[in-house]
Amino acid sequence: MTTAEPRHPLVVAHRGASALAPEHTIAAYEKAVEAGADALELDVRLSADGQAVVIHDATLERTTDGSGPVHERTLQQLKRLDAGAWFGEAFRGQRIQTLTELLERFRDRVGFTVELKGGSDFYPGIEERVLTFLQIYDVLDRSLVVSFDHPALKKLKGLDRDVRVGALVTGRLLDPTALAPPGILDAVCLRAELTTEREVELVRKAGLEVYVWVVNEPLLARRLAGWGVRGLITDRPDLLRPLFRDA
Ligand code: G3P
Ligand code: CA
């Protein structure tokens, strides 16, 4: 993320400080920055009119007062929805954000872990669109693009060698070098429940960084940091960041 190697793992706020405020909203991201998160994690999909919007689910029901698939709604329709009241009355009025709104607001304060919820086979042109915004807002050097859609990561790297990409992996890892051809990946993102020291070692020996999600327990965070994990993706940046402050 920066040229100087930090002394602690990067604390990446998963959907913002999503245990404290409704995920992916300005409230959640502001709380994450207040807590000292090093980076914000955000899930990106395309709306019906091709806008890059930040929302986890493919459908609107769980985190908004709308319904139906995100990709069938225009940005104007999505912006009418409330994305905060489901979490608590205090958050009523929070809105779905676009990628550009979040980059514009936070780019001088923090890095970004941008997850493509699907590549161009599902959201045509999403790689070009996301890459263009990271370039325009000049945040490539402090961003990591991650996805379960590994072909999308390969496409991104082909578009710009400078974009840093990380493969999300759901299961245990046999061979990190089998995930993509050489020179594609910069990182592998492992599920906390299925991560052992062996996986972390394997990935690091392959010359790749390790990110682990979701890590909300301080004891686990310390253990993973001891294994050389580069990034901890957490709903609780407020709990994890103080663990790694300089004494
Ligand atoms: O950062 C990885 C993690 O966000 C992937 O899972 O379902 O929370 O997007 P999910
Ligand atoms: Ca995600």
Side-chain angles (χ1 to χ4, degrees):
M1 185 176 129
T2 58
T3 46
E5 195 69 16
R7 291 169 57 190
H8 56 78
L10 300 175
V11 173
V12 181
H14 183 237
R15 314 180 194 175
S18 57
L20 309 177
E23 63 189 54
H24 292 307
T25 61
I26 292 293
Y29 288 122
E30 285 291 355
K31 280 186 189 293
V33 173
E34 275 166 33
D38 299 292
L40 306 178
E41 192 259 357
L42 35 100
D43 296 316
V44 176
R45 302 177 180 277
L46 294 187
S47 63
D49 48 348
Q51 302 298 318
V53 291
V54 178
I55 184 166
H56 178 272
D57 295 6
T59 52
L60 293 161
E61 282 81 353
R62 183 177 64 88
T63 58
T64 76
D65 57 355
S67 63
V70 174
H71 73 269
E72 289 182 4
R73 303 283 181 268
T74 62
L75 181 58
Q76 184 194 48
Q77 290 170 328
L78 294 172
K79 280 290 186 184
R80 287 181 184 141
L81 303 177
D82 186 288
W86 69 275
F87 193 90
E89 264 311 305
F91 298 103
R92 183 176 292 281
Q94 293 288 317
R95 301 287 162 197
I96 291 175
Q97 299 298 305
T98 64
L99 176 60
T100 53
E101 286 170 327
L102 293 176
L103 294 177
E104 177 77 48
R105 185 180 181 108
F106 291 103
R107 66 174 169 170
D108 294 329
R109 295 192 267 165
V110 74
F112 302 94
T113 298
V114 178
E115 180 180 347
L116 303 186
K117 293 313 272 184
S120 46
D121 289 340
F122 307 94
Y123 297 104
I126 192 169
E127 296 91 348
E128 288 88 346
R129 188 156 271 261
V130 166
L131 178 63
T132 299
F133 291 141
L134 297 179
Q135 291 166 336
I136 290 171
Y137 287 95
D138 204 12
V139 293
L140 269 188
D141 63 340
R142 72 195 103 112
S143 299
L144 178 72
V145 181
V146 303
S147 190
F148 291 108
D149 187 337
H150 300 174
L153 300 176
K154 184 165 178 268
K155 181 173 176 188
L156 265 175
K157 201 70 164 189
L159 291 168
D160 187 338
R161 299 297 305 169
D162 290 339
V163 65
R164 298 175 59 252
V165 302
L168 287 164
V169 177
T170 45
R172 291 197 68 189
L173 205 57
L174 269 178
D175 178 5
T177 65
L179 289 171
I184 302 294
L185 297 180
D186 300 280
V188 175
C189 311
L190 302 171
R191 274 181 64 174
E193 299 85 347
L194 290 175
T195 300
T196 67
E197 191 168 11
R198 178 185 162 277
E199 270 85 24
V200 175
E201 252 178 46
L202 273 179
V203 177
R204 296 187 74 210
K205 277 187 182 154
L208 304 171
E209 294 178 339
V210 183
Y211 285 69
V212 179
W213 95 91
V214 172
V215 183
N216 292 336
E217 294 297 324
L219 274 177
L220 175 61
R222 281 209 177 93
R223 190 181 324 136
L224 291 165
W227 293 346
V229 165
R230 173 67 162 151
L232 301 171
I233 301 173
T234 180
D235 303 326
R236 297 298 307 263
D238 56 316
L239 288 185
L240 263 55
R241 190 60 185 76
L243 300 177
F244 303 110
R245 282 192 203 288
D246 294 338

